[in-house]
Amino acid sequence: MILLSLIVVFLGISYSSSEPVQAKRFTVNLDLPPQERWVKIMQEYRQYTPTIIKDVQNFFPKPLLPLIDRLALYLDKYFPAPYPDELRGIASGLNISLSNAVLLNLVYDFSAFCTSIVAQDTQGNIYHARNLDYHFTADLRKLTFMVDFRSKGKTVYSGVVFAGMIGLVTAQRPKAVTITLNERDQGFLWENLIMAILRKEAIPVLLEIRQITATENMNFSQAVTLLSKVPMIADAYLIVGGINPGEGAVITRDRTAVANLWKLDPPTRWFLVETNYDHWTTPPPSDDRRDPAIKAMNETGQENVNGAALFKVLSIHPVLNKKTVYTAVMSAKNNGLFNAWVQQP
């Protein structure tokens, strides 16, 4: 009986500790000078920066760190405005070096394991959701928040970020487009850094996503075209959702060109699931999040798909796993749906 009681208590603790936590939400005022936009937000996270900087530097190959110093030295040459000044504000708010601020914004370009789903219901509404999985997960959970970029009192676009990031891996422009980024593990880290140094036009994809969602009159087709053409530092999967029926796509990118464009085609292909492997290949048994997600989507059915249903699919094991940092759900047509939860699996 004592053993049974202990098991019941343990199961209760395990269940309560797995409940997702609503991510904090902040506003970035785009009407402020770029160097001032992030400072107050970053000051709230300053206590965590020594740990995360240590994590990132340990993850990053030490011989490549001098290249980051060079990027920081010529920041205005490599990054388009207003991002250099925003990075200076990030460094000030977090009380870190400009090199470390640059490093925080590059490292997510190189290694983020994720699951993204874009789906269409029977009424033609598009839903988009994602899990973001990463290294040093416990620390990143403390740094995760949503941000609304506002101008003249209006939300222009929104995203989910980690403290220190100015680019977006999860983004929405209301009544226009949603975008998520998944890592595509091709090549070597040093190749990505050389691309960043030698090709001025190849900006981090996180900044490109932000540029696109910040663009007035942006739509799904334009976003797909831009994300298909832009020179990139690293290979990636870019998952895009729109506001009209059929507007969902996975863009499989090489650094310089599109490897594959995979689109929704209802009613037969009413959802797309992308993890971190080319969709026309078989994922490794050690990391097969795709097949459980597909099975759960088929069991859900197109007639039942909505934001809550996608959250449920992303909450099953191993789609949700010990490296999952957060889950986000959005729909450009219904901008009020945009939300994110920090996971505690």
Side-chain angles (χ1 to χ4, degrees), residues 65-99:
L65 289 176
L67 295 178
I68 302 299
D69 294 333
R70 177 179 172 181
L71 274 176
L73 190 61
Y74 298 100
L75 197 59
D76 295 284
K77 175 182 177 181
Y78 289 110
F79 288 176
Y83 303 130
D85 280 344
E86 286 196 10
L87 284 169
R88 294 181 179 102
I90 291 286
S92 172
L94 291 177
N95 194 27
I96 60 177
S97 69
L98 188 55
S99 294

Side-chain angles (χ1 to χ4, degrees), residues 23-127:
K24 291 183 179 180
R25 195 163 196 154
F26 296 96
T27 295
V28 166
N29 185 355
L30 297 173
D31 300 325
L32 289 175
Q35 203 156 331
E36 299 176 16
R37 294 172 180 173
W38 295 91
V39 175
K40 288 185 179 180
I41 301 173
M42 292 305 100
Q43 288 172 346
E44 295 203 22
Y45 292 92
R46 185 178 288 185
Q47 61 181 309
Y48 303 117
T49 52
T51 300
I52 197 63
I53 292 298
K54 182 180 178 181
D55 287 339
V56 171
Q57 289 184 342
N58 287 339
F59 168 76
F60 210 80
K62 286 182 171 53
L64 297 181
L65 289 176
L67 295 178
I68 302 299
D69 294 333
R70 177 179 172 181
L71 274 176
L73 190 61
Y74 298 100
L75 197 59
D76 295 284
K77 175 182 177 181
Y78 289 110
F79 288 176
Y83 303 130
D85 280 344
E86 286 196 10
L87 284 169
R88 294 181 179 102
I90 291 286
S92 172
L94 291 177
N95 194 27
I96 60 177
S97 69
L98 188 55
S99 294
N100 280 332
V102 173
L103 182 58
L104 286 176
N105 280 270
L106 285 178
V107 73
Y108 305 113
D109 233 313
F110 303 137
S111 182
F113 290 89
C114 315
T115 301
S116 290
I117 303 173
V118 62
Q120 177 178 312
D121 69 11
T122 53
Q123 305 303 311
N125 299 305
I126 304 296
Y127 297 92

Side-chain angles (χ1 to χ4, degrees), residues 295-308:
K295 181 175 182 290
M297 288 296 293
N298 283 323
E299 290 175 349
T300 299
Q302 187 178 10
E303 66 280 4
N304 297 314
V305 76
N306 54 32

Side-chain angles (χ1 to χ4, degrees), residues 7 15 19 51 58 104 109 143 152 226 233 248-249 262 297 326:
I7 291 172
Y15 177 79
E19 290 295 309
T51 300
N58 287 339
L104 286 176
D109 233 313
L143 303 174
K152 299 178 176 60
L226 290 169
I233 291 175
W262 187 33
M297 288 296 293
Y326 70 79

Side-chain angles (χ1 to χ4, degrees), residues 262-281:
W262 187 33
K263 289 187 174 183
L264 286 177
D265 186 18
T268 54
R269 191 161 64 235
W270 58 273
F271 69 88
L272 306 174
V273 173
E274 178 56 61
T275 56
N276 299 98
Y277 309 97
D278 295 343
H279 70 86
W280 58 92
T281 65

Side-chain angles (χ1 to χ4, degrees), residues 91-313:
S92 172
L94 291 177
N95 194 27
I96 60 177
S97 69
L98 188 55
S99 294
N100 280 332
V102 173
L103 182 58
L104 286 176
N105 280 270
L106 285 178
V107 73
Y108 305 113
D109 233 313
F110 303 137
S111 182
F113 290 89
C114 315
T115 301
S116 290
I117 303 173
V118 62
Q120 177 178 312
D121 69 11
T122 53
Q123 305 303 311
N125 299 305
I126 304 296
Y127 297 92
H128 191 163
R130 69 97 46 82
N131 279 353
L132 188 141
D133 306 343
Y134 208 77
H135 307 279
F136 31 95
T137 310
D139 292 329
L140 286 179
R141 288 178 183 140
K142 302 172 186 174
L143 303 174
T144 301
F145 61 91
M146 294 180 286
V147 58
D148 294 316
F149 296 86
R150 295 176 66 85
S151 178
K152 299 178 176 60
K154 178 183 177 182
T155 296
V156 183
Y157 56 103
S158 302
V160 186
V161 301
F162 302 130
M165 285 175 57
I166 61 171
L168 301 176
V169 294
T170 304
Q172 172 178 284
R173 185 176 180 90
K175 308 302 180 185
V177 68
T178 55
I179 305 172
T180 57
L181 168 72
N182 289 18
E183 186 226 10
R184 187 180 185 220
D185 192 12
Q186 302 284 324
F188 299 95
L189 185 62
W190 60 266
E191 292 176 318
N192 299 337
L193 258 295
I194 289 173
M195 174 69 84
I197 296 293
L198 297 181
R199 297 196 64 183
K200 180 182 175 182
E201 69 275 20
I203 69 172
V205 66
L206 284 72
L207 295 183
E208 181 63 25
I209 292 171
R210 181 174 165 189
Q211 291 267 63
I212 288 171
T213 50
T215 301
E216 192 174 359
N217 298 321
M218 181 56 59
N219 59 41
F220 171 81
S221 296
Q222 288 176 312
V224 169
T225 298
L226 290 169
L227 291 169
S228 298
K229 291 181 178 180
V230 62
M232 293 171 56
I233 291 175
D235 293 11
Y237 302 103
L238 293 149
I239 300 86
V240 188
I243 60 173
N244 298 311
E247 290 189 340
V250 174
I251 309 168
T252 301
R253 275 298 309 266
D254 296 330
R255 291 187 183 91
T256 58
V258 174
N260 181 265
L261 179 59
W262 187 33
K263 289 187 174 183
L264 286 177
D265 186 18
T268 54
R269 191 161 64 235
W270 58 273
F271 69 88
L272 306 174
V273 173
E274 178 56 61
T275 56
N276 299 98
Y277 309 97
D278 295 343
H279 70 86
W280 58 92
T281 65
T282 302
S286 61
D287 185 30
D288 185 6
R289 289 163 281 128
R290 180 202 297 168
D291 289 328
I294 290 174
K295 181 175 182 290
M297 288 296 293
N298 283 323
E299 290 175 349
T300 299
Q302 187 178 10
E303 66 280 4
N304 297 314
V305 76
N306 54 32
L310 291 188
F311 183 90
K312 185 176 180 180
V313 170

